[in-house]
Amino acid sequence: MKLKTLFLATALLRLTALHGADFCVYEANYPGVRDYNVKVDTAILSIRPQGAYVEMELELAVSYAFQSWFFKNYTELEFLWSFVLPDQATVDDFALWVGDSLIHATMLDRWTAELLFSEVSSPVRHPGLLTQGFPDREGQVGHSLRIYPIVRNQSRRFKIHYLLPVRPTNETLRVWLPISQLTSRRSPGAETLAMVFYGEQMPTLIGAEPGNPYRTPQHGAWRFTIPLGYDRVVELVYPSPISGKYLFSSYADSATCFYQLAVYPPELPQERTPRNFLLLVDFNRFNTSDIDGELLLLLLKEIMQQALTAADSANLLVAYEDIAHGADSLVACTEGNLDLLFAGVLQRSFPSYSNLQVLMRAGADHLAGRYDSTDVVLFTNTDEIMLSAPSKELLADQIIAMFSPGTKIHVVDLDNTSSLVYNWETSRYETQLQSFFGRLAYKSSGNLFFLRYHAIRTILSALFYEKVSHFEEVETQLRFATGYAFGKHFLALHEGYYPFRFPIMQIGQYAGTLPIDVTVLGKVRLNKAQDRFTITEEGVVPGTVTLARAWYGDHVHALLKKPQTNATVVEIMDISLKQGILTPYSGLLVFRPEENHGYEPEEQNAPAGGPEEPGGWQGDPTSVAEELVDSLGVSVDLAAYPNPFNQSVRLTVRLPVGVGEMRLVIYNAAGQWVRQLSLSTQPSGAQEVRWDGLDDSGQAVGSGVYIAVLAGGRWKKTLKLMLIR
């Protein structure tokens, strides 16, 4: 029952993932009636490179001035910003201006945070809440930021902070700017983005021209602006910090040492046949869920830059209202050429219809027998070929005949919204155009892929990577003078594919001293290559606390990919609450500054003592354990099983001799008295007490985090409990 309930809660959380960005307001009691006429007054993005990561701080000011008839009698509304970040992003801060004060959010479990923010019966209305959903199959995570209140013609300012791994190329590091998070089809969104980039060299922008760039030496930053638009896609490129063979950065807190390593892989001769690609994109924006045309093109560019080399050639044709050409002919797949290729087809809106046949004709005319052994890759989500089986096969044969003999046609069917149809000849269910696309691909010796059954990253990797153009496995071995490394994670955007010429990026923990002997291994089939070098103290770049947050964030991402058992969820929530990392099981809540929300930070280490009367408990509800030990090393003990629990929890209490009178009280995460449990009058030893999830009045309490406090005299022990209904 407990596992079933937890899995149900997990499934409900997965439904919160959103796609795209929206800004809207609504009355709190009627969240289904929304007005999207919210203006983004200012948008400021600060980017600070941190080796294999970048710190991003996005500050917004929003206002609502539209005189909506439905909201004419409401002076205070609730604001919602729905946006998407990559699943590798680690959100670790949300702050909101309340008056002239900037209030940083507190990390709570999600159930408690949402209850405290949304509880309409409470006299306290907290002003801000940030939550996130689970990653979808394409690696996108929906986030929801709510603010209360927003008043007409009054601006509200807030900011979020997150870490994001960069995308390495041979000599540069790249990151997509969060343009889609600031623009929307339904909302006005932001018109201009003010940029602050901390670095010696002005970064390169692909997809936008920086406006009024200037440097502020006192801050070590470049400042400029870029125009925004719903269809705009902007990539920021700056030089790689790798000096020579590697970049090694470390940071140590009171208990743990963290490191990040970026190192070029060993040299290995490439044995491959150069390939020619003509990419054809036919995308109806209403025929695919969970992915849009812009994301498709961005992922396509990322994988092509990693998988292809200057020996390969490619061109790109995209069906908008007309056919957009990336270039006039096939071009060598250098880093610069691919930038130009995609710049020629981005920044436009995809239509609400298919243009498949016109696109195929344009592709055939573009090749027109000029290239041998070309791979034509068709990306389409059309469902508009309303022909019977023989006519579909005839049309497929006619399309194949338009291309030169030997041309392979690969088809990626992106339609995942149409229902399956039953094929009486094959006695199985198929996609709407499976027989047509199958004829195109198989008769031309190509391949057929379905987005319905595979993630787009998997499909693209299968198309463009060759077994001899990348390492199938890589490994970095670190041998310290004393000690060892552990908890290592590769920052691989495409796991299982490691390009020969791109740096391998890794993050981990260690306990030891330098120097470090490093061995980098790469494997291709039966061939192995390795490189060795030594890192001394002089080669270490000092890191910051950001390095620790990056490791914990990446560790949480790895845990979220595992089956969500009770143990996994508890570990994720423990890291989230201790390290301040947002997860699907937690929320960042901004408390009202004048309200007592259950604990005060300055009182966390106050002398222990039991509560005198029902009311607030002045302790830290995020503290897992707290105790006093007498001079003989004897202490009280408190344990719980199961935890998390669904119906009831068994609390085991152990008391030393002479402890005196003790009380066991349950508090909620806001520090409010919930239930006092009766203890045995026996003077010492172990005893078991059951809490059935009811308060003192016999009413069932809701899901959330609760704190059991065992206290009396000079003794005190606290334990965090999680109730999941």
Side-chain angles (χ1 to χ4, degrees):
M1 177 66 183
K2 296 184 288 295
L3 287 177
K4 180 179 179 181
T5 304
L6 180 57
F7 292 151
L8 176 60
T10 302
L12 291 175
L13 282 177
R14 289 186 185 276
L15 297 179
T16 62
L18 305 172
H19 299 275
D22 279 319
F23 302 87
C24 67
V25 295
Y26 50 86
E27 206 282 321
N29 292 318
Y30 304 96
V33 181
R34 301 182 177 184
D35 189 348
Y36 293 89
N37 291 286
V38 177
K39 182 181 178 182
V40 180
D41 301 311
T42 59
I44 304 172
L45 176 64
S46 300
I47 298 180
R48 191 184 300 271
Q50 297 284 359
Y53 289 81
V54 290
E55 286 187 82
M56 289 200 173
E57 185 175 81
L58 187 56
E59 178 183 330
L60 300 180
V62 299
S63 61
Y64 175 71
F66 191 72
Q67 297 299 318
S68 169
W69 175 87
F70 190 84
F71 300 135
K72 65 180 181 179
N73 295 324
Y74 298 100
T75 57
E76 296 183 344
L77 298 171
E78 187 166 301
F79 164 78
L80 171 64
W81 176 30
S82 302
F83 61 98
V84 171
L85 291 176
D87 62 349
Q88 291 185 317
T90 299
V91 180
D92 59 359
D93 192 22
F94 160 48
L96 174 68
W97 273 267
V98 180
D100 294 329
S101 301
L102 177 63
I103 311 297
H104 287 268
T106 301
M107 187 69 72
L108 301 173
D109 72 277
R110 180 164 182 159
W111 296 272
T112 301
E114 290 184 332
L115 178 66
L116 292 176
F117 179 82
S118 303
E119 181 58 54
V120 294
S121 63
S122 172
V124 176
R125 181 68 162 152
H126 295 296
L129 173 66
L130 176 62
T131 58
Q132 73 172 50
F134 281 83
D136 65 15
R137 191 176 63 172
E138 307 304 336
Q140 304 296 300
V141 179
H143 292 70
S144 296
L145 188 149
R146 290 185 281 171
I147 294 176
Y148 180 87
I150 185 168
V151 181
R152 281 187 178 86
N153 303 311
Q154 294 184 15
S155 182
R156 295 302 306 263
R157 292 172 58 201
F158 58 89
K159 62 181 180 179
I160 63 171
H161 181 275
Y162 61 96
L163 304 175
L164 189 66
V166 294
R167 296 182 2 254
T169 63
N170 192 20
E171 297 180 350
T172 63
L173 298 180
R174 294 168 172 253
V175 63
W176 298 105
L177 298 186
I179 306 301
S180 62
Q181 290 82 347
L182 303 174
T183 56
S184 171
R185 286 188 181 275
R186 295 188 289 188
S187 310
E191 297 180 354
T192 304
L193 177 63
M195 296 279 302
V196 182
F197 179 82
Y198 292 88
E200 291 295 326
Q201 183 175 327
M202 173 71 182
T204 300
L205 294 180
I206 300 175
E209 288 294 330
N212 303 316
Y214 65 96
R215 180 168 173 78
T216 54
Q218 67 273 26
H219 301 118
W222 286 90
R223 300 175 185 270
F224 50 92
T225 61
I226 59 173
L228 298 183
Y230 180 75
D231 301 313
R232 185 170 293 275
V233 177
V234 183
E235 192 174 12
L236 184 140
V237 184
Y238 60 95
S240 172
I242 299 177
S243 176
K245 287 182 175 291
Y246 66 90
L247 167 70
F248 185 86
S249 177
S250 67
Y251 169 80
D253 59 18
S254 58
T256 311
C257 296
F258 302 87
Y259 77 89
Q260 61 172 323
L261 173 66
V263 55
Y264 285 104
E267 296 289 339
L268 190 68
Q270 298 189 38
E271 300 176 1
R272 56 176 297 166
T273 302
R275 293 179 293 171
N276 299 322
F277 289 98
L278 177 63
L279 312 175
L280 308 176
V281 179
D282 167 53
F283 193 88
N284 179 336
R285 67 174 184 264
F286 295 115
N287 284 4
T288 301
S289 63
D290 298 336
I291 186 174
D292 55 30
E294 289 79 10
L295 179 60
L296 169 65
L297 292 179
L298 299 189
L299 295 177
L300 182 58
K301 178 181 178 180
E302 288 183 12
I303 293 186
M304 288 179 67
Q305 283 186 327
Q306 293 207 11
L308 304 181
T309 69
D312 303 304
S313 299
N315 199 3
L316 178 63
L317 276 63
V318 182
Y320 295 110
E321 293 81 359
D322 56 354
I323 305 299
H325 291 63
D328 295 332
S329 61
L330 301 188
V331 296
C333 294
T334 63
E335 187 174 328
N337 282 348
L338 290 176
D339 286 335
L340 294 174
L341 196 68
F342 281 85
V345 298
L346 286 169
Q347 323 289 5
R348 299 183 60 176
S349 294
F350 283 89
S352 58
Y353 53 85
S354 173
N355 221 347
L356 174 63
Q357 295 178 351
V358 175
L359 179 64
M360 297 302 292
R361 178 75 263 177
D365 292 342
H366 182 75
L367 295 178
R370 293 183 293 170
Y371 307 96
D372 296 328
S373 62
T374 304
D375 287 78
V376 175
V377 184
L378 171 64
F379 299 89
T380 180
N381 61 1
T382 184
D383 59 355
E384 299 176 5
I385 302 178
M386 310 303 292
L387 300 174
S388 60
S391 299
K392 288 180 181 178
E393 294 180 358
L394 178 60
L395 178 59
D397 292 341
Q398 291 173 345
I399 291 176
I400 294 173
M402 293 190 305
F403 293 89
S404 301
T407 301
K408 294 181 180 179
I409 301 178
H410 310 279
V411 181
V412 182
D413 185 356
L414 301 172
D415 177 16
N416 60 4
T417 59
S418 300
S419 59
L420 299 175
V421 295
Y422 189 76
N423 187 326
W424 294 98
E425 295 182 0
T426 60
S427 300
R428 65 183 181 184
Y429 282 92
E430 298 179 348
T431 61
Q432 292 285 334
L433 297 177
Q434 185 166 336
S435 60
F436 170 69
F437 291 144
R439 182 82 170 189
L440 270 180
Y442 302 147
K443 192 171 182 180
S444 64
S445 301
N447 296 290
L448 175 58
F449 302 91
F450 299 97
L451 183 65
R452 189 184 298 264
Y453 308 125
H454 302 283
I456 190 62
R457 288 184 184 271
T458 303
I459 295 173
L460 296 177
S461 297
L463 278 168
F464 294 105
Y465 280 100
E466 284 188 303
K467 292 184 178 180
V468 291
S469 67
H470 64 277
F471 289 111
E472 299 167 1
E473 296 179 39
V474 294
E475 182 179 351
T476 57
Q477 299 176 353
L478 280 67
R479 294 181 176 86
F480 289 77
T482 59
Y484 52 91
F486 58 96
K488 298 183 287 187
H489 298 287
F490 280 121
L491 304 180
L493 297 180
H494 312 295
E495 295 181 4
Y497 301 98
Y498 303 92
F500 284 155
R501 61 199 187 282
F502 287 11
I504 301 166
M505 301 191 302
Q506 186 183 71
I507 192 168
Q509 301 182 31
Y510 73 93
T513 59
L514 276 66
I516 311 171
D517 291 327
V518 180
T519 302
V520 185
L521 302 172
K523 177 184 177 183
V524 179
R525 297 181 181 175
L526 299 178
N527 299 323
K528 295 181 180 179
Q530 69 176 25
D531 192 10
R532 294 180 177 177
F533 56 89
T534 300
I535 300 176
T536 62
E537 291 284 355
E538 293 75 17
V540 178
V541 177
T544 66
V545 68
T546 302
L547 188 53
R549 293 199 186 108
W551 187 89
Y552 284 114
D554 198 71
H555 188 60
V556 166
H557 300 153
L559 291 174
L560 286 171
K561 295 179 181 179
K562 296 181 177 181
Q564 299 298 280
T565 63
N566 277 8
T568 305
V569 173
V570 169
E571 184 176 1
I572 292 173
M573 291 194 65
D574 188 53
I575 294 175
S576 176
L577 296 177
K578 288 183 178 179
Q579 305 300 328
I581 294 172
L582 188 64
T583 73
Y585 301 107
S586 57
L588 282 165
L589 180 68
V590 174
F591 287 101
R592 288 179 59 179
E594 68 273 15
E595 295 291 341
N596 180 356
H597 48 269
Y599 65 95
E600 298 296 337
E602 61 271 15
E603 297 183 8
Q604 291 180 14
N605 298 319
E612 296 300 324
E613 298 181 8
W617 168 59
Q618 297 302 308
D620 180 4
T622 65
S623 175
V624 180
E626 181 179 5
E627 65 184 55
L628 286 180
V629 182
D630 67 9
S631 59
L632 298 177
V634 180
S635 69
V636 298
D637 192 23
L638 179 63
Y641 181 82
N643 192 19
F645 67 100
N646 174 244
Q647 297 293 334
S648 64
V649 59
R650 298 194 304 273
L651 298 167
T652 302
V653 179
R654 290 181 174 84
L655 304 176
V657 176
V659 69
E661 183 180 355
M662 301 289 291
R663 289 199 296 183
L664 179 59
V665 180
I666 307 296
Y667 295 86
N668 62 21
Q672 299 168 325
W673 180 293
V674 174
R675 177 82 175 273
Q676 179 171 343
L677 302 176
S678 299
L679 294 176
S680 170
T681 57
Q682 65 188 50
S684 62
Q687 56 181 293
E688 187 174 279
V689 182
R690 187 177 70 90
W691 180 41
D692 52 10
L694 304 180
D695 60 17
D696 280 337
S697 63
Q699 299 297 315
V701 298
S703 298
V705 170
Y706 294 85
I707 298 90
V709 180
L710 178 65
R714 70 180 189 277
W715 303 94
K716 182 179 180 183
K717 182 78 173 184
T718 65
L719 183 66
K720 182 169 61 180
L721 310 172
M722 183 185 297
L723 171 60
I724 301 177
R725 293 292 188 183

